[in-house]
């Protein structure tokens, strides 16, 4: 996306067509991401169905407050991302940059909290293969925790990619490599991805931390 | 800065946070038994729909793009419905 | 008893189920041939008649009839529905063995089949069964997924690690037939097979006698019950409060936290390996796990013993 | 038409737009990328074919003629992995779809040309991992990678193979995404949805499957890798995990994947049947929507691979009835192709021979598909050679026939040269004969009870196995014919001209090979698809 606003890509006849194609492409891509995480959610739900007791005890080991904090961080980052898109459309270059950096910072905060949580999990012996022996005997608990690590890990990778993307974009907007409002579509597309990663967490959090939580 | 902060966005954000708080509260303090799973997922789905509709701008998107988003959910429903059917009827 | 040599064009039918399956496929084939041959014939006929340069009449034909076109597809589909129902009802029967079946345990491992008869007779890769008697196999794998396949009976069932699956049949001809592993399971997958030997009732009794079992499965299970220390808690005079297992098999067990479960093989196996999964109501979850200590074969013996108590 | 072609000639053809290696490897021209794909999938086809040859030679004797047990297991695994993911999945979509979709809808290129090039590199990158697994000692899990064998027991190079397949999945996704956006947004003025060639419809349906199913394969492969490499057991029975969870996720992709292979071939056959009978497709909208119906229903039947797996009996029944439903849209297509021949101007040139062969083999494959969808029958024949024969009738019989038909039909468009017709017809006949001799005996073998993936078998099965291997040797030669005469035609073939077949369709209105930008100017479409004259005059218009 290094071209300036004036360049029309090869196959397109006009800019409206190009814009619509970009938007559609982004949504189809998000659809593929949804299917990939869908497979993971399916696995997690199946574990909950076949081992309700084990999954519940595993859930109780997870810290719903740290997870909740992370949810709030990501939701806030979605707000700042929305602001960035609005600012970009209005051509407010420095505000766009600022909001994008705020989103990235919130994303990094999420990753730090997640890292701390992993550290706590490690201390409890939840991490597969390392640390203390697994603390819960009930069948399915370890299975569920393994699912927790795979799904949060994959989500964290997605978020990290998002952070890199948004930081890079913030720089590009600041340096006018991506001029606003002319190429605000780039900010918009990055925003779509960011919101989507947030949406995955919107489902991951309750499925991992809240569902069937014991008293 | 003021010109980019729209009241609508703030309300949407408040709703999202509110639903999150509600979900955490019911998980922590309410013992709804089997219903709690449905409630948990319903609240999350509510959040997701708000996010899709406003922040992901399905509100102003073309029919085609709405269809793409709906298709994702439809195919996931196929995976979950037909897949879970196995475990629930064993 | 010689396995057939040379080209066979139809496999032996060793049971009523096998006959039924053959009827389904023959009748279904007949239906489909009736539906398909006209299409092939029309294709060839058109290709010749309307070849480029031929003087055939190509004037536009009468208007199309959409309903007629749709009926080409819908009517065959409804006819095929009959075959769905027929095949499904046979499939349903496979899941419902007669109550008086002879129970034989099967343990699969890379790359052998171990069979255990109720009297304690054990054999590897060969299964002796009496003719005209329903036989129910309770199967489990020690490692990967296998699949027990009897071509002459037209049945197979995957054998899973961690969970019992079942297969039942009633062989109606004396003889020796193939059995195979049908699910790829590693290097010697193709060699993981042997024979199903169907004997007349006297022959089967004779074989049971010769096979030289010292103790029945249930008796062996009872010995294991003491060896693993189960009797210490579940015994009649135990000081620890644990459920008495007499008569428990096949009856509903109320669970801690609500719900009941029928105490079948699965439940007993899970209770030994994963005792905290489904705790009987009114008891403390104090039983230790025996995972990694009891082999699948011993588990089946323990189950046989607990069955014998009811 | 001739004037357009003359104008187009003003711009050099895409083949002459640059001669350096760099001009090929960094091209964003969909036509050149299609050629890159064609070269790669041809190489993979012969590599996978070599593994098949090893398998068939080994099965000539009951004790296994040339391979050890492990060697055989690795041979059929690599055959399956290469043929499925590196030949069949990209075959028609990534070569002919890539080349033709922009031409057929009147566009200059696909919507995202650089993504298109990237998808080829991703496929090559993925393939290099799988090739590494091959040279490092092979992989022996079967292409299905069933757990817990793949995740905890196999001692072969599972991880490298899985990574290769995982990466190649992104290539599928990128291609599917590109097609969807292109078909939605880049149609020429006047090219409405119901003027699209059926080929484009089937590729649209295929793309839906590519983008919706492939991610689920990706996640199931990630879970295997996590279990095998990091010890994060998610399917591990020792932890209470269910191996059937993997099978559900795997077949959620892999059953629809069969439609990724067959739908594009159906599109090809529709083009061929109409072009060589000079007739509009009979029941256009039925044929178009049946593609979407197949793509959608294809996602709802995966459990029919699991009737004996320990799946719930009721789930088995649901999946069985849904599988029967797929017969309806499939039958619609077959009936409509046949009806298209009626009162046509039929020429049995090589592509048409392949198309008729496709229909015949597809019908046999489809009907045996109904057998294996019938519960109690499947219990007997699943995991036997009956199933092997069934899916080869679909995946090789039908899809490879479609691929070869497409190759001959569009060869003049791609290269500007005609292939030698006599050789084409001879090899089409050989392919058909060799194929049936190879795979028909396998139906009988399977019903007699020979399980698949056996390197040794009871001696009574030898006669049928020898027949099958003999057929395979004929098939191998028949596949080599086109390889040589098509190469020959690149230099010595007759110059084709823009429209050697007198076919309808936008791709035939531009020169052969097409100029870099496809059309001198974006065409405006005013005609319906397959605008052949409705009533012809006794059919005296045989082309030269």
């Amino acid at each position: 996306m290094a071209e300036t606003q004036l360049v029309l890509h090869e196959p397109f006849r006009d800019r409206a067509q190009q814009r619509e194609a970009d938007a559609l492409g982004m949504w189809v891509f998000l659809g593929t991401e949804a299917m990939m995480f869908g497979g993971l959610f399916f696995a997690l739900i199946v574990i909950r169905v076949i081992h309700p007791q084990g999954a519940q005890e595993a859930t109780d080991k997870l810290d719903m407050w740290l997870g909740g904090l992370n949810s709030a961080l990501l939701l806030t980052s979605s707000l700042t991302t929305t602001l960035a898109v609005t600012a970009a459309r209005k051509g407010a270059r420095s505000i766009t940059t600022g909001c994008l950096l705020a989103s990235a910072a919130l994303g990094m905060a999420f990753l730090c909290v997640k890292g701390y949580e992993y550290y706590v999990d490690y201390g409890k012996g939840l991490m597969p293969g390392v640390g203390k022996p697994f603390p819960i005997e009930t069948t399915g608990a370890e299975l569920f925790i393994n699912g927790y690590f795979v799904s949060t890990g994959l989500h964290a990778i997605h978020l990290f990619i998002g952070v890199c993307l948004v930081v890079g974009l913030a720089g590009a907007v600041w340096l006018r490599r991506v001029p606003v409002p002319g190429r605000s579509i780039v900010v918009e597309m990055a925003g779509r991805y960011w919101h989507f990663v947030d949406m995955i967490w919107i489902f991951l959090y309750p499925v991992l931390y809240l569902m069937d939580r014991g008293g | 800065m003021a010109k980019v902060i729209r009241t609508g966005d703030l309300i949407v954000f408040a709703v999202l946070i509110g639903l999150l708080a509600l979900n955490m509260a019911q998980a922590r303090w309410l013992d709804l038994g089997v219903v709690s799973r449905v409630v948990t997922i319903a609240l999350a789905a509510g959040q997701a729909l708000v996010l899709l509709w406003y922040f992901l701008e399905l509100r102003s998107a073309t029919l085609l793009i709405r269809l793409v988003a709906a298709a994702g959910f439809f195919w996931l429903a196929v995976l979950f419905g037909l897949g879970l059917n196995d475990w629930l009827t064993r | 008893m010689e396995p057939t040599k040379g080209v066979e064009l139809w496999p032996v039918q060793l049971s009523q189920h096998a006959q039924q399956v053959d009827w389904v496929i023959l009748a279904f084939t007949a239906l489909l041939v009736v539906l398909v041959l006209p299409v092939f014939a029309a294709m060839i006929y058109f290709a010749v008649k309307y070849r480029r340069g031929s003087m055939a009449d190509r004037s536009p034909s009468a208007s199309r009839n959409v309903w007629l076109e749709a009926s080409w597809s819908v009517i065959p589909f409804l006819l095929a529905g009959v075959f769905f129902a027929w095949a499904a009802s046979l499939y349903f029967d496979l899941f419902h063995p007669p109550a008086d079946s002879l129970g034989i345990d099967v343990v699969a491992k890379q790359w052998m089949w171990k069979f255990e008869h109720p009297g304690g007779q054990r054999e590897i890769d060969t299964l002796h069964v009496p003719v005209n008697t329903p036989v129910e196999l309770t199967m489990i794998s020690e490692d990967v997924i296998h699949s027990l396949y009897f071509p002459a009976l037209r049945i197979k069932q995957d054998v899973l690690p961690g969970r019992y699956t079942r297969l039942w049949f009633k062989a109606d001809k004396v003889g020796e037939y193939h059995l195979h592993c049908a699910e790829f399971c590693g290097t010697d997958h193709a060699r993981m097979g042997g024979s199903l030997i169907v004997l007349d009732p006297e022959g089967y009794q004779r074989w049971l006698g010769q096979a030289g079992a010292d103790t029945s499965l249930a008796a062996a299970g009872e010995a294991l019950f003491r060896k693993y220390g189960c009797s210490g808690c579940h015994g009649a005079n135990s000081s620890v409060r644990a459920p008495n297992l007499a008569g428990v098999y096949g009856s509903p067990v109320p669970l801690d936290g609500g719900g009941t479960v029928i105490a079948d093989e699965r439940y007993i196996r899970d209770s030994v390996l994963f005792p905290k999964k489904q705790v009987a109501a009114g008891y403390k979850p104090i039983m230790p796990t025996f995972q990694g200590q009891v082999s699948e074969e011993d588990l089946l013996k323990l189950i046989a013993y607990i069955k014998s108590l009811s | 038409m001739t004037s357009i072609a003359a104008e187009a000639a003003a711009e050099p053809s895409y083949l002459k737009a640059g001669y350096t290696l760099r001009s090929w490897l960094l091209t964003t021209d969909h036509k050149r990328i299609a050629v890159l794909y064609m070269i790669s999938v041809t190489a993979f086809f012969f590599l996978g074919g070599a593994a098949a040859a090893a398998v068939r030679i080994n099965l000539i004797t009951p004790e296994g003629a040339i391979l050890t047990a492990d060697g055989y297991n690795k041979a059929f695994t690599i055959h399956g992995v290469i043929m499925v993911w590196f030949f069949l999945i990209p075959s028609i979509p990534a070569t002919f779809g890539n080349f033709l979709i922009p031409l057929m809808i009147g566009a200059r290129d696909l919507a995202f040309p650089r993504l298109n090039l990237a998808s080829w590199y991703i496929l090559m990158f993925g393939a290099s991992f799988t090739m590494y697994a091959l040279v490092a000692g092979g992989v022996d899990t079967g292409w299905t990678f069933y757990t817990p064998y793949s995740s905890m027991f196999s001692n072969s190079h599972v991880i490298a193979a899985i990574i290769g397949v995982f990466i190649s999945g992104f290539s599928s996704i990128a291609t599917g995404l590109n097609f969807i956006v292109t078909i939605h947004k880049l149609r020429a003025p006047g090219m409405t949805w119901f003027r699209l060639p059926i080929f484009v419809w089937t590729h649209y349906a295929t793309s839906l499957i590519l983008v919706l199913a492939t991610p689920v394969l990706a996640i199931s492969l990630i879970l295997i890798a996590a279990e095998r490499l990091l010890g994060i057991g998610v399917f591990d029975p020792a932890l209470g995990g269910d191996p059937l969870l993997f099978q559900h996720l795997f077949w959620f992709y892999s059953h629809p994947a069969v439609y990724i292979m067959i739908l594009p071939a159906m599109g090809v056959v529709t083009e061929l049947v109409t072009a060589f009978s000079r007739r509009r497709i009979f029941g256009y909208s039925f044929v178009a929507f049946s593609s979407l119906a197949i793509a959608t229903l294809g996602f709802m039947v995966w459990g029919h691979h699991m009737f004996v797996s320990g799946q719930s009996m009721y789930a088995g029944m649901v999946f069985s009835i849904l599988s029967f439903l797929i017969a309806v849209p499939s039958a619609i297509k077959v009936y409509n192709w046949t009806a298209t021949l009626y009162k046509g101007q039929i020429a049995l040139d090589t592509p048409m021979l392949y198309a008729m062969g496709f229909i015949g083999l597809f019908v046999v494959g489809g009907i045996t598909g109904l057998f294996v969808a019938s519960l109690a029958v499947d219990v007997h024949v699943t995991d036997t050679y009956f199933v092997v024969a069934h899916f080869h009738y679909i995946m090789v019989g039908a899809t490879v026939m479609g691929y070869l038909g497409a190759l001959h039909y569009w060869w003049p468009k791609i290269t500007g040269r005609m292939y030698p017709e006599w050789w084409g017809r001879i090899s089409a006949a050989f392919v058909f004969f060799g194929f049936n001799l190879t795979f028909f005996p396998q139906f009988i073998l399977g019903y007699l009870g020979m399980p698949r993936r056996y390197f040794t078998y009871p001696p009574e099965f030898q006669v049928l196995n020898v027949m099958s291997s003999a057929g395979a040797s004929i098939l191998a030669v028949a596949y080599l014919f086109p390889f040589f005469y098509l190469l020959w035609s690149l230099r010595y073939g007759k110059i084709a001209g823009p429209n050697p077949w007198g076919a309808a369709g936008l791709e035939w209105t531009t020169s052969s090979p097409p100029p870099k930008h496809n059309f001198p100017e974006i065409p405006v479409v005013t005609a319906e698809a397959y605008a052949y004259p409705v009533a012809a005059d006794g059919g005296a218009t045989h082309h030269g």
Side-chain angles (χ1 to χ4, degrees):
Chain A
M1 293 283 167
E3 284 85 347
T4 63
Q5 64 197 88
L6 300 171
V7 169
L8 187 61
H9 289 268
E10 177 73 287
F12 297 105
R13 297 192 289 273
D14 54 61
R15 285 187 53 214
Q17 190 190 32
Q18 177 169 342
R19 208 185 132 83
E20 284 169 21
D22 285 348
L24 179 61
M26 189 67 193
W27 274 99
V28 173
F29 170 70
L30 295 184
T32 68
E33 290 275 57
M35 292 307 292
M36 184 169 81
F37 277 98
L40 262 184
F41 280 111
F42 180 66
L44 290 170
I45 297 284
V46 166
I47 295 171
R48 281 211 183 269
V49 166
I50 55 183
H51 300 297
Q53 182 68 25
Q56 183 184 340
E57 288 177 30
T59 306
D60 290 345
K61 286 274 175 200
L62 301 176
D63 190 331
M64 71 172 270
W65 302 109
L66 283 178
L69 170 65
N70 260 346
S71 300
L73 285 173
L74 272 196
L75 290 176
T76 314
S77 77
S78 265
L79 177 67
T80 54
T81 304
T82 302
L83 296 180
V85 173
T86 316
R89 284 178 185 155
K90 294 193 172 177
R93 184 174 61 101
S94 54
I95 298 179
T96 309
T97 313
C99 288
L100 286 173
L101 287 176
S103 298
L106 288 162
M108 276 317 290
F110 175 99
L111 290 174
C112 292
V113 173
K114 195 75 229 159
Y116 171 71
E117 225 186 315
Y118 279 163
Y119 173 74
V120 174
D121 295 335
Y122 171 80
K124 290 181 192 161
L126 295 179
M127 222 168 240
V130 288
K132 287 184 255 178
F134 195 77
I136 315 170
E137 238 183 56
T138 315
T139 351
E142 194 171 352
L143 214 56
F144 186 82
I145 291 291
N146 287 348
Y148 155 84
F149 277 109
V150 176
S151 45
T152 54
L154 197 65
H155 176 262
I157 292 172
H158 276 77
L159 186 58
F160 184 70
I161 293 171
V163 168
C164 296
L165 203 85
V166 163
V167 169
L169 182 58
V173 171
W174 181 248
L175 297 172
R176 296 193 169 85
R177 296 279 298 277
V178 173
V180 289
R183 296 281 291 153
S184 65
I185 177 132
V186 182
V187 181
E188 202 179 283
M189 291 298 114
R192 298 263 191 273
Y193 178 79
W194 190 276
H195 290 310
F196 177 82
V197 175
D198 185 10
M199 195 171 81
I200 296 297
W201 184 259
I202 282 180
F203 283 104
L204 268 184
Y205 175 62
V207 167
L208 290 172
Y209 292 79
L210 298 184
M211 207 183 253
D212 290 345
R213 207 173 176 84
Chain B
M1 186 74 200
K3 65 175 178 178
V4 302
I5 297 181
R6 296 175 301 189
T7 329
D9 290 342
L10 293 180
I11 294 173
V12 169
F13 175 67
V15 169
L16 287 171
I17 293 284
L19 286 170
L20 169 69
L22 210 59
N23 212 349
M24 291 171 75
Q26 68 83 19
R28 180 67 186 83
W29 289 294
L30 279 185
D31 190 8
L32 297 170
V34 190
V35 190
S36 82
R37 286 187 183 189
V38 183
V39 172
T40 313
I41 287 296
L43 286 171
Q47 275 180 301
L49 288 178
V50 169
L51 193 84
L52 279 167
W53 197 246
Y54 293 99
F55 282 178
L56 276 159
E57 297 181 334
L58 279 187
R59 190 169 51 137
S60 55
T62 57
L63 177 66
L64 173 62
I65 282 178
R66 287 184 199 172
L67 274 177
V68 171
F73 282 99
F74 171 77
W75 262 273
L76 282 175
V78 169
L79 171 64
F80 277 76
L82 287 170
L84 283 176
N85 177 34
D86 175 16
W87 282 278
L88 296 178
T89 59
R90 261 185 206 169
Chain C
M1 287 223 190
E2 276 280 289
T4 335
K5 294 281 189 306
V7 193
E8 249 183 293
L9 284 177
W10 202 258
V12 192
Q13 293 173 330
L14 188 52
S15 65
Q16 223 180 350
H17 177 81
Q19 285 174 23
Q20 288 281 317
V21 171
D22 288 354
W23 273 118
V24 174
I25 201 156
L26 286 174
F28 208 179
T29 310
L31 170 73
L32 292 168
V33 165
V34 167
L35 290 172
V36 162
L37 276 189
V39 177
F40 283 175
M43 262 176 63
I44 294 166
Y45 176 71
F46 292 160
V48 174
K49 181 171 179 196
Y50 299 112
R51 70 189 179 280
R52 216 165 272 179
S54 81
M55 299 308 278
D57 172 29
R58 290 183 174 85
S59 54
S61 31
S63 64
R64 291 177 50 196
N65 184 337
V66 174
W67 290 107
L68 181 72
E69 285 163 33
S71 67
W72 289 354
S73 300
V74 172
I75 290 173
F77 174 72
L78 293 178
L79 287 174
V82 174
F83 289 89
F84 160 76
W86 189 0
S89 81
L90 289 173
Y91 184 69
F92 183 85
D93 292 343
L94 284 179
F95 285 81
H96 295 86
D100 59 342
S101 302
L102 168 69
I104 295 177
D105 294 333
V106 182
V107 175
K109 60 179 282 192
Q110 287 175 324
W111 291 275
M112 63 172 78
W113 296 101
K114 295 191 273 192
F115 300 100
E116 295 189 339
H117 295 256
Q121 294 83 356
R122 306 178 51 193
E123 46 185 337
I124 287 178
D125 287 347
T126 306
L127 174 61
H128 289 80
V129 296
V131 72
N132 288 327
T133 311
V135 175
E136 184 184 1
L137 307 175
T138 300
M139 312 185 289
I140 196 156
S141 163
E142 287 187 350
D143 36 51
V144 301
I145 301 175
H146 302 275
S147 187
L148 185 55
Y149 177 33
F150 301 103
L153 293 160
R154 312 286 187 275
I155 54 173
K156 71 168 70 69
Q157 169 64 51
D158 282 8
V159 179
L160 305 172
R163 191 176 124 207
Y164 294 115
T165 51
R166 266 157 235 292
L167 193 58
W168 83 271
F169 59 86
K170 190 164 120 181
D172 56 17
K173 286 184 195 66
V174 170
E176 183 175 345
Y177 311 92
H178 288 303
L179 70 85
H180 298 289
C181 176
E183 182 63 62
F184 181 69
C185 58
T187 307
D188 272 334
H189 165 59
R191 293 219 166 96
M192 186 171 164
S195 303
L196 169 70
I197 298 178
V198 183
L199 300 166
D200 55 42
E202 303 78 52
Y204 181 65
Q205 285 309 323
R206 210 175 314 125
W207 178 81
L208 285 179
Q210 288 163 358
D214 317 329
T215 43
S216 72
L217 274 192
E222 190 178 7
L224 290 169
F225 197 72
R226 283 193 299 274
K227 180 186 151 203
Y228 287 115
C230 313
S231 53
C233 299
H234 292 283
N237 308 318
S238 159
S239 56
V240 183
R241 230 180 72 78
N244 188 331
L245 299 180
V248 78
Y249 182 81
S251 57
V253 177
L255 292 178
D256 191 33
T260 55
V261 64
I262 301 290
D264 55 5
E265 286 100 339
R266 181 200 65 78
Y267 176 70
I268 297 171
R269 180 177 182 280
D270 283 359
S271 299
V272 177
L273 297 182
F274 314 115
K276 294 197 172 51
K277 185 176 175 188
Q278 289 173 310
V279 180
Y283 295 93
K284 291 206 186 74
I286 49 172
M287 178 166 157
T289 174
F290 286 82
Q291 199 180 7
Q293 300 169 46
V294 189
S295 69
E296 294 294 352
E297 285 168 76
D298 282 1
L299 272 167
L300 284 161
K301 291 190 182 105
L302 285 168
I303 290 169
Y305 169 64
I306 292 168
K307 272 185 186 174
S308 74
L309 296 175
S310 55
Chain D
M1 190 182 288
T2 42
S3 68
I4 296 175
E7 277 176 50
E11 193 187 21
S13 85
Y14 80 99
L15 290 173
K16 292 183 176 155
Y19 294 96
T20 58
L21 189 62
R22 187 188 157 85
S23 76
W24 279 90
L25 292 180
L26 293 179
T27 181
T28 54
D29 184 343
H30 67 103
K31 298 180 289 303
R32 286 196 162 201
I33 296 170
V35 172
L36 291 177
Y37 266 114
M38 189 180 287
I39 295 167
S40 345
V41 301
T42 305
F44 292 133
F45 176 75
F46 283 108
L47 199 59
V55 164
R56 274 321 325 164
I57 293 171
N58 194 62
L59 291 176
I60 289 173
T61 66
E63 275 309 309
I66 53 169
L67 295 169
T68 60
D70 272 329
Y72 181 85
N73 297 342
K74 286 170 180 171
F76 75 67
T77 301
I78 209 69
H79 166 66
V81 169
I82 289 183
M83 285 303 201
V84 168
W85 281 296
F86 299 102
F87 175 69
L88 287 164
I89 298 271
S91 61
I92 298 177
T95 55
F96 297 105
N98 227 330
F99 195 96
L100 293 167
I101 287 175
L103 285 167
M104 283 179 164
I105 66 174
R108 292 201 183 281
D109 204 325
L110 289 177
F112 307 114
R114 277 172 297 176
L115 183 67
N116 194 22
L117 178 65
S119 78
W120 180 75
Y121 276 102
I122 294 170
L123 184 74
M124 293 301 106
F125 186 54
S128 64
F129 277 91
T130 305
M131 294 307 130
Y132 166 77
L134 179 62
V135 294
V139 55
D140 72 344
T141 58
W143 76 279
T144 46
F145 297 120
Y146 268 20
T147 57
Y149 184 72
S150 64
S151 62
M152 300 165 79
F153 287 86
S154 172
N155 291 316
S156 57
H157 293 80
V158 180
I159 292 288
I162 281 182
I163 291 176
V165 174
F166 175 79
I167 293 173
S168 74
F170 289 96
S171 169
S172 297
I173 292 174
T175 303
L177 189 154
N178 224 336
F179 286 176
I180 289 177
V181 176
T182 305
I183 296 170
H184 270 290
K185 293 295 172 195
L186 288 182
R187 281 172 284 123
M191 180 54 92
T192 61
W193 280 90
F194 292 99
R195 284 176 178 169
L196 288 173
I198 295 295
F199 181 90
V200 178
W201 274 94
T202 58
H203 275 75
Y204 185 76
T206 306
S207 306
L208 282 181
I209 304 176
L210 284 170
V211 299
L212 290 165
T214 316
V216 179
L217 174 73
I219 197 68
S220 46
L221 295 178
I222 288 178
L223 289 174
I224 290 192
E227 185 157 310
R228 188 177 170 90
L229 207 60
L230 308 171
I232 304 180
V234 181
F235 308 115
D236 184 358
L239 299 177
D242 192 339
L244 266 61
L245 173 58
F246 172 77
Q247 294 178 23
H248 277 291
L249 290 172
F250 179 81
W251 289 115
F252 184 83
Y253 164 81
S254 290
H255 191 76
V258 176
Y259 300 104
I260 298 176
M261 304 168 195
I262 196 70
L263 277 167
M266 289 171 157
V268 167
V269 166
T270 309
E271 301 305 309
L272 302 189
V273 166
T274 52
F276 289 92
S277 49
R278 296 259 168 85
R279 286 265 289 158
R280 294 183 178 185
I281 184 71
F282 183 84
Y284 176 96
S285 51
F286 274 82
V287 178
F289 282 120
S290 66
S291 306
L292 295 184
I294 290 174
T296 310
L297 279 172
F299 277 94
M300 303 182 183
V301 300
W302 77 84
H304 67 211
H305 296 266
M306 300 167 60
F307 289 156
V308 302
S309 68
Q311 179 182 238
S312 139
M313 178 187 75
Y314 299 101
M317 289 181 178
V318 170
F319 281 123
S320 170
I321 190 104
L322 288 169
S323 307
F324 270 67
L325 274 178
I326 288 207
V328 176
S330 307
I332 286 177
K333 284 191 190 281
V334 172
Y335 288 138
N336 287 9
W337 288 323
T338 311
T340 303
L341 299 177
Y342 180 61
K343 298 196 173 180
Q345 306 267 357
I346 298 165
L348 291 178
D349 290 320
T350 309
M352 187 60 163
L353 290 180
Y354 279 115
M356 309 259 300
F358 170 98
I359 298 173
L361 300 182
F362 173 72
V363 165
V364 175
I367 280 174
T368 50
L370 281 173
F371 292 161
V372 294
S374 312
L375 288 154
V377 176
D378 184 68
V379 169
H380 173 44
V381 297
T382 189
D383 282 326
T384 69
Y385 266 85
F386 191 92
V387 167
V388 174
H390 155 68
F391 72 70
H392 279 90
Y393 265 78
I394 297 288
M395 288 153 76
V396 184
T399 302
V400 177
M401 284 275 184
Y403 182 80
L404 288 172
L407 192 59
H408 288 84
Y409 180 59
W410 281 293
W411 188 254
K413 182 54 64 184
I414 295 171
T415 65
R417 303 273 181 168
M418 295 301 291
Y419 60 88
E421 183 62 41
W422 187 83
W423 280 100
R425 291 184 192 185
I426 288 292
S427 52
F430 268 79
V431 167
F432 188 79
F433 175 72
F435 176 84
N436 280 298
L437 183 58
T438 310
F439 292 103
F440 199 81
Q442 296 186 2
F443 282 123
I444 305 170
L445 269 177
Y447 205 78
L448 289 172
M450 175 164 163
R452 65 193 283 203
R453 297 174 170 174
Y454 265 32
F455 77 99
T456 170
Y457 53 84
E460 64 263 32
F461 296 143
Q462 188 174 10
V463 174
L464 288 163
N465 269 303
V466 169
M467 281 168 72
S468 180
S469 296
S473 63
I474 295 172
L475 196 54
V477 174
Y479 282 147
L480 282 170
F481 278 171
F483 181 75
F484 288 114
Y485 69 67
L486 289 177
L487 281 182
W488 175 87
S489 77
L490 285 180
R491 181 174 269 273
Y492 304 104
K494 204 173 69 170
I495 300 288
N499 189 0
W501 309 114
L506 280 182
E507 80 267 31
W508 300 110
T509 63
T510 188
S511 54
S512 302
K516 186 164 187 290
H517 290 100
N518 294 348
F519 303 96
E521 53 191 58
I522 298 290
V524 176
V525 182
T526 52
E528 302 304 309
Y530 313 112
Y532 297 102
V534 174
D537 49 273
T541 53
H542 195 280
H543 69 90

